[in-house]
Amino acid sequence: MTWRLALRDLWSSKLRLFLTGLSVVLGVAFVAGTFVLTDTINRAFDTVFSDANANTAVVVQSEEEIGQTREPLPAALLGRVQAVPGVQAAQGGVFGLAGIIGSDGKAVTTGGAPTLAGAWGTVAELNPFTLREGGPPTAPDDVVIDVSTAREEGFRVGDRIGIIPPSGRPEQFRVSGTAGFGDEDNLAGATAVLFSLPTAQRLLGLEGRFSDIRVLAEPGVSEGVLAGRVQAVLPAGVEAITGQQNAADQSEQLQDQLSIIRTALLVFGFIALFVGAFIIFNSFSISIAQRTRSLALLRAVGASPGQVNRMVLLEALVVGVAASIVGIGAGVLIAIGLRELFGAFGGDLPQAGLQLNARTIIVSLALGIGVTLLAALRPAIRASRVSPVAALRDEAPQEAPRALRRRLVSVSVFAVGLAALLVGLFAEVPNRLVIIGASALVLFVGISMLSTEIARPLARIIGAPFARLSVTGKLGRENAMRNPYRTAQTASALMIGLALVGLATIFAASLSASVKDTIEKRFDVSVVLRNEQFQPFSPAVAAALAREPGVGLVSQWRLGQFKQGRTTRDIAASDPAGIPQVWDLGVTSGAVAALRAPDTIMVSDDLASDQGLRVGSTIPARFARTGDTTLRVVGTYSETTFGDVLTGIGTYDRNFSPPRQDFLVFARPAPGATEAQVVEAGRRVEEQFPNVISQTKSEYVADVERQVNQLLNLVFILLGFAIIIAIFGIVNTLALSVFERTREIGLLRAVGLGRRQVRAMVRYESIIVSVLGGLLGLVIGVALGTLVVSRVPDVPVLSIPVGSLVVFLLLAAVAGVLAALGPARRASRLDILKAIQAE
């Protein structure tokens, strides 16, 4: 009987069923779509690398990998490997980065994917690339390029194109052929240029060395056995792994780089589900209030509180199961759309069938059903406590906790959430991000509970202008004030969405302001040269700039990585003589000039404080080239634009193998020269090196701000799903509210209220609820944004963009108008006589 009653109640309110389920569908779809997309990508890359390395039995490489960098091998090692029993053939390979000059004379951009370069394999079985047109590179000026780049740039076999090597000036080559990576036209959007071995070694600074050695086994010799034999002849620090393990490692590296995308998408999916929980809770609460009489009749004819409770939870279970199944299907469509979006931004992904794994189905169902049941639990308990006699008298069901008790619970939940958030932000605790995320959820629940206490006065204030405008405005305000509990819960979903938008806006604005403030105050430069894709470039750029008339100081900056114990750290390097002239790093002890000594570093105040370092301290360091060494601290500084560790260019060059490249170049005018001369010199160098751009300091700041805004726009798009769910929640509440007030609306129509006025009344109520949620959300967002910015050392400037926040509040009002369209239309079309007779 319980099942039949639950299904009957659900089916009797199809609109409530649809709107409640929709909030679950959207949240589950985001989570499922993320899993489907990432599982598809992972499977695709596993297949691509497995196929490309199918014939490679063993790979020989340096054992130590630091920041995805391995020390090259001596070329003489190839002969030793070839002599191992069971080796049919072996070849040395070289690989690195080199750009392509496109048909427009500019460097070909990849949207963040690398610009790969290497040697064409002469052993066909060991070559992961397959020729599509033309022939392999044999002459010193031959090059094979990837099929995608050839197609997009209009290059044909026999064309002359420019290649930008990691060191030196651009050179001209003849396209001898085009190739794909296995069956793919490129590797995840990366460009590829392949040369003969001697040419590749020269261009990539690997003369007499190989990046790795690949081995083809004789028939009947297993990979594992051959890897063991090869390992026996290798020197210390060099390892032999199976081809299968190498393919897995390559795929894992690429997947690790994409894992941040999965994490970000899952976070937004969970946010959408969290917002949806408020909608579900509100829908069931309203439904219980509207079904007081029917629930009382069930109690009167013998239904127990437990049966009523189970009936409501069964309704929630049906909604959760149905919505989760639909959400999984929608997630597949989202995955397809996201994959196409990747392609539109240049991130071509290998083609593979969509992967709908059991894990995706189980997690999606568990989340969708779990969130729905949890959200419906309290309304179910309230339903079970309906008194048959009191309900038959049309009295509202009373909750067990009194007002004072409810307030104490609300304050307690809020206090716990706030305390946990402060611990996550300010205390040194493990799993900081998990603590911050969980405490934020608790905090939002507490705020939602507390908002019930202020919903009525806020609705009165927000609706005051509408009440003065017309009678319908006054009626809309009274409706919003009538049930502050419902108004607060309806507004809570929108509150969460706009709180996160406000937080993201403040953080982005503060980041932009901090970057601008730092560059303007700390950097005394006229020109900045950099790569548009944030890749390193040739030191020849700095050399060419230094030869230009009017240019005085040229400061080159390089980046690398080393290991301190198990921790991989970034290290920046520049000429100590030029550092103080271009960058005020806020020296707190020691001196920059001391970096001229070998194996010396300066560390940030934060790192010094964490590890108890001071001038004269030493730290152990392991570099890919030189292995274990000791670095001596000669100073500390406060300004961390270039990270926590700084060294001189000499120390950098001793510990890092060629090709050594710059990631930024700064320039200042010579004595007697003007900034305009330096700017013009930068433009001339830019023409010589198409992979770099020359910017003035103000242009560089504006470009950084543009990049921050692009990231913020992406965050807004993702948070938009949560806000859309919140809007559906307002639609749901208004629709149920119109149903609840059918008789009241009929009486208003009977005494002369027109259809247009009814629609206006519902719109005013919706706007008040939306602005209430928006106002609370932005206040919370400002508070959270201020707290977060205060705990990020690299963002010292707090910036609150009042104009943007006001726009968001106005958009919340617009959302209210849109949310009211359907319910207002339904209210205005009620039959007056039937509405008056309704109970």
Side-chain angles (χ1 to χ4, degrees), residues 147-181:
V147 174
S148 291
T149 301
R151 181 174 58 246
E152 292 170 7
E153 297 296 328
F155 294 145
R156 300 176 180 274
V157 175
D159 287 351
R160 303 291 294 184
I161 65 170
I163 301 296
I164 309 167
S167 58
R169 291 178 172 275
E171 299 183 24
Q172 290 292 311
F173 288 83
R174 183 186 70 88
V175 177
S176 65
T178 62
F181 189 83

Side-chain angles (χ1 to χ4, degrees), residues 672-826:
T674 64
E675 285 201 3
Q677 289 178 279
V678 182
V679 171
E680 186 58 34
R683 304 291 186 224
R684 288 193 293 270
V685 171
E686 181 181 350
E687 293 176 359
Q688 300 173 44
F689 296 88
N691 62 327
V692 300
I693 57 175
S694 177
Q695 297 176 312
T696 64
K697 186 164 70 172
S698 59
E699 289 172 340
Y700 181 59
V701 170
D703 202 30
V704 171
E705 291 178 331
R706 178 184 59 80
Q707 293 161 17
V708 171
N709 290 334
Q710 285 180 341
L711 179 61
L712 183 62
N713 290 337
L714 178 60
V715 172
F716 284 163
I717 292 172
L718 294 174
L719 286 176
F721 279 90
I723 294 175
I724 289 171
I725 293 174
I727 293 173
F728 278 118
I730 298 174
V731 175
N732 195 6
T733 301
L734 288 174
L736 294 174
S737 178
V738 167
F739 175 79
E740 186 180 65
R741 300 199 300 263
T742 298
R743 187 168 185 272
E744 176 186 315
I745 294 172
L747 289 172
L748 289 173
R749 290 292 315 282
V751 297
L753 200 68
R755 292 180 184 272
R756 181 176 297 177
Q757 289 175 305
V758 170
R759 290 196 296 269
M761 177 185 69
V762 177
R763 280 199 301 269
Y764 283 129
E765 180 183 357
S766 180
I767 292 171
I768 291 170
V769 173
S770 298
V771 172
L772 174 63
L775 190 61
L776 289 175
L778 293 179
V779 170
I780 297 166
V782 170
L784 291 178
T786 303
L787 278 175
V788 170
V789 169
S790 70
R791 293 301 299 152
V792 180
D794 294 334
V795 187
V797 179
L798 174 65
S799 176
I800 300 178
V802 177
S804 297
L805 299 181
V806 171
V807 170
F808 294 147
L809 192 59
L810 294 175
L811 290 176
V814 173
V817 174
L818 296 176
L821 291 177
R825 180 184 177 89
R826 182 177 182 276

Side-chain angles (χ1 to χ4, degrees), residues 544-607:
L545 184 61
R547 290 192 293 269
E548 289 288 334
V551 176
L553 175 68
V554 174
S555 179
Q556 301 166 256
W557 288 82
R558 296 175 181 172
L559 278 181
Q561 291 181 314
F562 70 95
K563 280 189 176 179
Q564 182 187 2
R566 295 184 177 182
T567 302
T568 300
R569 295 197 179 280
D570 294 328
I571 184 170
S574 187
D575 180 4
I579 292 175
Q581 298 184 60
V582 298
W583 178 34
D584 175 15
L585 70 167
V587 176
T588 53
S589 66
V592 177
L595 290 176
R596 294 192 182 95
D599 295 332
T600 56
I601 59 172
M602 296 183 72
V603 298
S604 69
D605 291 338
D606 289 337
L607 183 60

Side-chain angles (χ1 to χ4, degrees), residues 437-599:
S439 60
L441 295 182
V442 176
L443 182 64
F444 279 128
V445 172
I447 293 171
S448 174
M449 296 170 69
L450 285 174
S451 63
T452 304
E453 306 298 329
I454 60 173
R456 186 189 298 274
L458 276 180
R460 182 186 298 276
I461 295 171
I462 295 170
F466 304 142
R468 284 193 286 267
L469 282 176
S470 64
V471 173
T472 54
K474 184 176 181 180
L475 289 172
R477 184 178 72 164
E478 293 300 321
N479 287 335
M481 293 168 55
R482 177 185 304 179
N483 191 332
Y485 182 83
R486 178 186 302 175
T487 298
Q489 295 306 312
T490 304
S492 292
L494 188 59
M495 173 195 73
I496 295 170
L498 284 180
L500 295 174
V501 168
L503 167 62
T505 303
I506 290 172
F507 184 82
S510 299
L511 179 60
S512 294
S514 298
V515 170
K516 182 177 181 179
D517 183 73
T518 297
I519 294 175
E520 290 180 346
K521 292 182 178 179
R522 297 276 188 173
F523 288 84
D524 186 11
V525 299
S526 301
V527 164
V528 180
L529 274 73
R530 66 178 184 87
N531 180 276
E532 198 169 7
Q533 296 196 129
F534 305 101
Q535 294 183 357
F537 52 88
S538 171
V541 173
L545 184 61
R547 290 192 293 269
E548 289 288 334
V551 176
L553 175 68
V554 174
S555 179
Q556 301 166 256
W557 288 82
R558 296 175 181 172
L559 278 181
Q561 291 181 314
F562 70 95
K563 280 189 176 179
Q564 182 187 2
R566 295 184 177 182
T567 302
T568 300
R569 295 197 179 280
D570 294 328
I571 184 170
S574 187
D575 180 4
I579 292 175
Q581 298 184 60
V582 298
W583 178 34
D584 175 15
L585 70 167
V587 176
T588 53
S589 66
V592 177
L595 290 176
R596 294 192 182 95
D599 295 332

Side-chain angles (χ1 to χ4, degrees), residues 29-48:
F30 218 105
V31 173
T34 299
F35 280 125
V36 170
L37 175 68
T38 54
D39 289 343
T40 301
I41 292 173
N42 293 345
R43 177 62 180 273
F45 282 124
D46 284 343
T47 302
V48 166

